[in-house]
Amino acid sequence: MSGPLRHAFRYCPQCRQPLAVGDEGGVGRPSCSACGFVQYLNPSPAAAAVIRRGNLVCLVQRKFAPKAGEWTLPAGFIEYDEAPDEAARRETREETGLDVRIDGLLAVHQGVLPPDRPVILIVYAATELGGELLAGDDAAAVGFWPPDAPPGPIAFSSHRRVLAALAAADREAGR
Ligand SMILES: [Zn+2]
């Protein structure tokens, strides 16, 4: 099955009846005729932080699958009751040991967490306030590199787009 329905429930999580795929304005949604439950298939929101030291940017190496060993901005999924900028600050603290201030929105990108989880990545500019640079949580290593010369492959296309934009802006600014 392709498209969002590959993630469809087959049975109602509330009353266990088989779900049928209803059609709401051309969008197929699994729904339960017994209790009215509807499964909305949405992308998962994630937040990332861009932290600069001069012309360098903070990158973390992933410790776990998917894409273990590859590199990303400090980033992670937003918790249920968490604001996106809080998530960016929390993930940065957990993965890099750095305390940051969120300065503003840099970009929003659509992406996919392999194998097929759609993600909306909200990217913030952030400034170091303190802490100690140390790989933690689900990071294997952390450090600062030029955005166009990371220490290894970048795990996700959305992060690659951010780094390409940073490198282009740096070139334009003569950094
Ligand atoms: Zn039901």
Side-chain angles (χ1 to χ4, degrees):
M1 189 176 284
S2 65
L5 291 178
R6 67 189 182 273
H7 295 296
F9 294 148
R10 293 170 61 201
Y11 295 93
C12 180
Q14 294 187 162
C15 76
R16 296 184 265 182
Q17 294 295 308
L19 293 179
V21 177
D23 188 295
E24 196 177 301
V27 180
R29 303 195 196 284
S31 57
C32 177
S33 58
C35 77
F37 169 82
V38 178
Q39 182 188 9
Y40 292 94
L41 293 155
N42 303 117
S44 300
V50 168
I51 309 152
R52 307 299 303 265
R53 284 183 180 175
N55 65 341
L56 309 179
V57 63
C58 185
L59 296 174
V60 303
Q61 186 178 32
R62 294 175 61 81
K63 191 189 282 185
F64 301 116
K67 304 272 184 181
E70 299 192 14
W71 295 78
T72 71
L73 300 163
F77 287 109
I78 302 170
E79 298 293 348
Y80 184 81
D81 55 357
E82 187 175 47
D85 59 330
E86 290 170 23
R89 201 166 52 237
R90 174 183 54 76
E91 290 285 351
T92 298
R93 174 76 209 190
E94 290 173 359
E95 294 181 347
T96 72
L98 298 178
D99 292 313
V100 294
R101 178 189 70 224
I102 299 298
D103 296 319
L105 183 66
L106 270 187
V108 178
H109 291 304
Q110 184 182 32
V112 173
L113 183 72
D116 63 358
R117 181 174 180 177
V119 173
I120 300 295
L121 184 70
I122 304 167
V123 186
Y124 291 99
T127 300
E128 274 185 75
L129 297 178
E132 188 182 349
L133 190 65
L134 193 66
D137 196 42
D138 50 2
V142 61
F144 284 76
W145 285 272
D148 58 356
I154 300 301
F156 307 122
S157 64
S158 52
H159 295 242
R160 280 195 291 276
R161 289 170 68 183
V162 173
L163 295 177
L166 291 175
D170 286 355
R171 276 193 298 276
E172 198 157 307
R175 280 195 290 266

